[in-house]
C-alpha cells in the first residue's frame, strides 16, 4: 500500500484532539503533516485546533473540575498511578513515535518514556500528602482555631514548550491535576503525534471525562486566547519566548490569572505548589 507517498508502507494516521473524554476532529477542518524524521514521508496528519476548539475544551474542563476536586486525594492518587501503568503498557508505541518522528535514539526514547512514567508515579505519591505538608495551624490570639490549607486553583491552561519533550509534558500535566485542577493543554505540532497515545492513556485510566483536554496546534495562533480567556484561572507557559510570556502576564491582569513561567525542577513539591491556592479558616472554640 502506497498511501499518500510512494515510499510509505503504512496509511498516514489522523491524530485527533482530546476534548471532554472524546476524540473530535478540529471544527476548522485543518491539519498539518508530521513527517518521518528527516524525510518528506508523512507519518501522520495532526489536527490544528482553532479558537472554538479551545473554547469547547475550556467548557469541558470547567464542567469536570468540581467533581475531580471533590474526589478523595487517595482516589486521585490511584488514578495518577493508573496513568503510569497505562503509559508502561503503551511503552513500545511511545518509543516508536519518538524515534520515528523526533529522531531520538532508541535508548533516549526509552529514557524519556521512563521519565514520564516516573512523573505520574511521583505526583501520585504527592496527591494525598501535599496538603499535610503545605497546611498549617496558625497561632492566633483569641478563642479560635486558625487553619490554612492548600486547594486547587481551578481550571489551568498549559502552553507546552515548542520543542517537544514527553517527560516534561507528563510532569506538567501530573503536577497540575494532582491537586484537583482540570486542564486544557496545547501541544506544539512538533510532538503532535504523541497526542494520540497520551490521550489514550488518560481515557483508559479511570480519569473523569473533561479533566484533561489536549489540543495540538499553532502556539502563535492560540496563546492570546489562553491569556485572555476569563475562565482559565491559571496559565503555565513553558515556551522559551520571553516576549510571549511578558504579553501573557499583561493579559492576565484582567482576571488576575496566575502565570507560571518555564519550570526547571519538574519533580518537586514547588512545582505542584504553582497550581494551588491557600484558604484560611477560623473555627471558634469554647461555649
Amino acid at each position: 500500500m502506497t498511501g499518500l507517498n510512494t515510499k510509505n508502507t503504512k496509511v498516514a494516521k489522523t491524530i485527533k484532539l482530546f476534548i471532554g473524554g472524546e476524540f473530535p476532529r478540529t471544527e476548522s477542518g485543518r491539519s498539518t503533516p508530521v513527517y518521518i524524521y528527516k524525510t518528506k514521508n508523512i507519518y501522520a496528519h495532526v489536527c490544528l485546533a482553532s479558537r472554538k476548539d479551545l473554547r469547547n475544551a475550556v467548557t469541558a474542563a470547567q464542567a469536570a473540575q468540581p467533581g475531580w476536586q471533590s474526589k478523595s486525594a487517595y482516589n486521585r492518587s490511584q488514578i495518577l498511578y493508573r496513568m503510569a501503568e497505562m503509559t508502561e503498557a503503551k511503552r513500545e508505541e511511545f518509543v516508536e513515535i519518538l524515534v520515528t518522528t523526533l529522531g531520538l535514539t532508541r535508548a533516549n526514547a526509552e529514557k524519556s518514556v521512563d521519565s514520564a512514567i516516573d512523573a505520574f508515579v511521583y505526583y501520585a505519591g504527592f496527591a494525598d500528602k501535599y496538603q499535610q505538608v503545605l497546611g498549617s495551624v496558625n497561632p492566633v490570639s483569641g478563642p479560635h482555631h486558625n487553619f490554612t490549607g492548600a486547594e486547587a486553583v481551578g481550571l489551568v491552561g498549559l502552553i507546552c514548550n515548542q520543542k517537544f519533550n514527553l517527560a516534561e509534558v507528563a510532569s506538567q500535566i501530573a503536577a497540575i491535576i494532582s491537586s484537583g485542577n482540570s486542564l486544557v493543554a496545547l501541544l506544539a505540532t512538533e510532538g503532535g503525534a504523541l497526542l494520540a497515545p497520551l490521550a489514550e492513556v488518560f481515557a483508559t485510566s479511570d480519569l473523569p471525562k473533561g479533566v484533561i483536554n489536549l489540543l495540538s496546534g499553532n502556539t502563535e495562533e492560540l496563546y492570546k486566547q489562553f491569556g485572555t480567556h476569563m475562565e482559565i484561572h491559571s496559565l503555565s507557559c513553558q515556551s522559551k519566548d520571553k516576549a510571549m510570556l511578558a504579553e501573557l502576564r499583561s493579559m492576565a491582569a484582567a482576571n488576575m490569572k496566575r502565570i507560571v513561567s518555564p519550570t526547571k525542577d519538574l519533580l518537586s513539591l514547588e512545582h505542584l505548589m504553582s497550581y494551588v491556592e491557600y484558604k484560611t479558616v477560623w473555627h471558634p472554640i469554647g461555649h
Side-chain angles (χ1 to χ4, degrees):
M1 183 179 292
T2 58
L4 299 178
N5 304 282
T6 57
K7 295 181 181 180
N8 271 8
T9 57
K10 296 180 181 179
V11 175
K13 304 174 184 179
T14 297
I15 310 297
K16 301 176 185 178
L17 309 177
F18 183 58
I19 299 175
E22 307 295 334
F23 293 85
R25 297 178 187 272
T26 171
E27 61 82 29
S28 69
R30 301 175 304 163
S31 65
T32 188
V34 174
Y35 295 101
I36 295 173
Y37 188 67
K38 288 191 175 179
T39 76
K40 289 299 181 181
N41 293 334
I42 296 175
Y43 176 82
H45 295 276
V46 177
C47 286
L48 287 175
S50 67
R51 288 176 290 180
K52 187 173 188 302
D53 293 320
L54 172 57
R55 292 196 297 272
N56 291 342
V58 168
T59 299
Q62 191 177 22
Q65 195 275 324
W68 176 239
Q69 185 176 1
S70 68
K71 286 188 176 293
S72 70
Y74 179 64
N75 189 207
R76 291 199 302 271
S77 175
Q78 289 177 307
I79 291 171
L80 279 157
Y81 193 84
R82 179 64 175 164
M83 291 176 187
E85 293 178 337
M86 296 309 299
T87 303
E88 177 66 44
K90 297 178 76 65
R91 179 188 182 85
E92 284 304 313
E93 183 177 354
F94 278 108
V95 169
E96 186 263 338
I97 295 174
L98 289 168
V99 170
T100 305
T101 66
L102 298 182
L104 274 64
T105 64
R106 183 170 181 85
N108 285 339
E110 289 178 343
K111 183 178 179 181
S112 183
V113 177
D114 287 341
S115 296
I117 294 168
D118 288 346
F120 289 128
V121 173
Y122 182 89
Y123 286 104
F126 252 133
D128 60 353
K129 299 175 183 67
Y130 77 93
Q131 288 177 311
Q132 294 95 311
V133 176
L134 299 181
S136 65
V137 178
N138 306 315
V140 295
S141 178
H144 295 86
H145 281 308
N146 184 271
F147 306 93
T148 297
E151 58 183 37
V153 171
L155 198 166
V156 178
L158 169 62
I159 300 175
C160 296
N161 193 342
Q162 283 132 320
K163 185 171 179 58
F164 187 86
N165 183 305
L166 177 62
E168 287 184 6
V169 171
S171 298
Q172 288 149 8
I173 290 174
I176 289 168
I177 69 166
S178 60
S179 60
N181 297 302
S182 59
L183 170 69
V184 177
L186 176 63
L187 277 63
T189 53
E190 177 186 281
L194 273 299
L195 188 151
L198 265 178
E200 289 166 5
V201 164
F202 302 140
T204 55
S205 298
D206 301 323
L207 184 74
K209 293 183 177 181
V211 173
I212 295 177
N213 303 273
L214 302 178
L215 308 176
S216 54
N218 189 323
T219 303
E220 289 293 327
E221 178 183 350
L222 292 177
Y223 80 90
K224 291 183 180 180
Q225 279 62 49
F226 273 88
T228 56
H229 202 298
M230 298 298 286
E231 300 304 327
I232 296 178
H233 305 123
S234 181
L235 177 58
S236 174
C237 179
Q238 298 301 311
S239 170
K240 304 299 183 184
D241 187 333
K242 293 183 179 179
M244 181 192 300
L245 189 60
E247 190 175 358
L248 287 171
R249 291 188 187 282
S250 177
M251 292 174 178
N255 74 335
M256 302 297 289
K257 193 193 315 301
R258 181 187 302 177
I259 301 295
V260 180
S261 55
T263 306
K264 293 181 180 179
D265 199 359
L266 294 170
L267 299 184
S268 66
L269 177 62
E270 287 73 19
H271 190 193
L272 188 153
M273 287 169 61
S274 298
Y275 307 106
V276 300
E277 58 186 8
Y278 297 92
K279 180 168 71 175
T280 299
V281 177
W282 293 76
H283 190 281
I285 347 177
H287 301 287

